[in-house]
């Protein structure tokens, strides 16, 4: 229902910053919760951050809390993930997701293609 295209990944030194972007099309962007997930080498998918449609309430995984910030620009149909103080353990493929925003978020509306983030030490 919603197509998501990501950009902004790359290689960065530990302690550095990157911003990931996700562009949405094919649906009513502001009606969905948006989120970011990641999967590192040999690891399971991990929740990173989410932002609700209603009230722009944000949520963060414990491993990134205080370092990452999720935001959205509904006029541009964009969602962002600002990543600061990056650590080698942040190395992963990052995925943008869209989901139904109800009492709980169901991540079944769309997924981005994935963007590699590599943090060197």
């Amino acid at each position: 229902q919603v197509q998501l295209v990501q950009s902004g990944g790359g290689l960065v030194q530990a302690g550095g910053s990157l911003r990931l972007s996700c562009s949405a099309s094919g649906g009513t962007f502001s009606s969905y919760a948006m989120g970011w997930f990641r999967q590192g080498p040999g690891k399971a998918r991990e929740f990173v951050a989410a932002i609700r449609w209603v009230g722009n309430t944000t949520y963060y995984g414990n491993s990134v809390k205080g370092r990452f910030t999720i935001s959205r620009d509904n006029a541009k149909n964009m969602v962002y993930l600002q990543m600061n103080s990056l650590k080698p353990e942040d190395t992963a493929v990052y995925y943008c997701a869209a989901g139904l925003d109800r009492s709980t978020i169901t991540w079944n509306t769309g997924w981005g293609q994935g963007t590699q983030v590599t943090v060197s030490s």
Side-chain angles (χ1 to χ4, degrees):
Q1 187 175 358
V2 176
Q3 291 74 51
L4 305 176
V5 179
Q6 303 174 214
S7 62
L11 174 65
V12 66
Q13 292 277 95
S17 298
L18 283 174
R19 189 175 78 158
L20 305 183
S21 300
C22 179
S23 178
S25 63
T28 305
F29 177 77
S30 61
S31 297
Y32 302 112
M34 300 296 297
W36 293 92
F37 297 79
R38 68 186 183 186
Q39 187 167 13
K43 301 177 182 178
R45 187 186 70 174
E46 177 187 15
F47 171 75
V48 175
I51 183 166
R52 286 191 176 274
W53 168 40
V54 178
N56 282 347
T57 303
T58 57
Y59 307 88
Y60 297 94
N62 290 333
S63 63
V64 306
K65 203 166 189 177
R67 300 188 297 120
F68 291 10
T69 303
I70 187 171
S71 62
R72 66 192 297 167
D73 186 336
N74 292 339
K76 297 180 179 179
N77 288 353
M78 298 286 292
V79 63
Y80 307 96
L81 183 68
Q82 178 67 46
M83 305 183 292
N84 298 327
S85 301
L86 283 162
K87 305 174 181 179
E89 50 263 46
D90 294 319
T91 295
V93 177
Y94 285 71
Y95 297 91
C96 177
L100 296 175
D101 195 352
R102 302 293 186 266
S103 57
T104 60
I105 301 171
T106 303
W107 300 106
N108 65 351
T109 304
W111 288 87
Q113 80 277 17
T115 301
Q116 178 69 49
V117 172
T118 302
V119 184
S120 63
S121 60

